[in-house]
């Protein structure tokens, strides 16, 4: 996925296997954590949506990893390209 830089209001759709409740989102690039946000995974129109605000204005463009996890648990990382 390609993500623009700047301050973002993200709505992330997660699969049915994800439990509703608090989640954490982190953006990592070259082993350095640049942004962190927390929000709640909620059911909206039968879809599981996690809404978070991330400030990516200080993150250099390039390949990054977006981590999504339930608060206090293990999560998954996804490759993203930051513009």
């Amino acid at each position: 996925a390609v993500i623009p830089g700047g301050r973002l209001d993200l709505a992330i759709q997660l699969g049915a296997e994800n439990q509703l409740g608090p989640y954490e989102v982190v953006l990592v690039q070259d082993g350095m954590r640049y942004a962190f946000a927390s929000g709640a995974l909620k059911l909206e129109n039968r879809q599981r949506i996690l809404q978070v605000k991330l400030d990516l204005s200080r993150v250099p463009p390039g390949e990054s990893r977006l981590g999504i996890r339930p608060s206090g648990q293990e999560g998954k990382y996804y490759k993203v390209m930051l513009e």
Side-chain angles (χ1 to χ4, degrees):
V2 177
I3 298 177
R7 295 177 186 205
L8 304 177
D9 289 325
L10 293 178
I12 304 169
Q13 183 178 344
L14 299 178
E17 70 277 5
N18 294 281
Q19 293 186 6
L20 302 177
Y23 274 71
E24 298 170 344
V25 176
V26 63
L27 186 94
V28 177
Q29 190 179 87
D30 296 326
M32 186 175 202
R33 184 172 106 170
Y34 278 94
F36 174 84
S38 59
L41 183 62
K42 298 179 181 178
L43 202 57
E44 296 180 13
N45 297 321
R46 297 189 206 177
Q47 296 179 344
R48 293 171 187 263
I49 305 293
L50 173 61
Q51 292 188 321
V52 294
K53 294 179 187 256
L54 278 179
D55 183 0
L56 305 180
S57 59
R58 296 184 180 179
V59 185
E63 188 174 296
S64 301
R65 296 177 55 82
L66 186 70
I68 302 172
R69 69 179 187 177
S71 293
Q73 298 181 27
E74 292 295 316
K76 294 181 182 178
Y77 281 85
Y78 303 90
K79 285 185 184 180
V80 295
M81 185 62 67
L82 194 65
E83 291 184 323

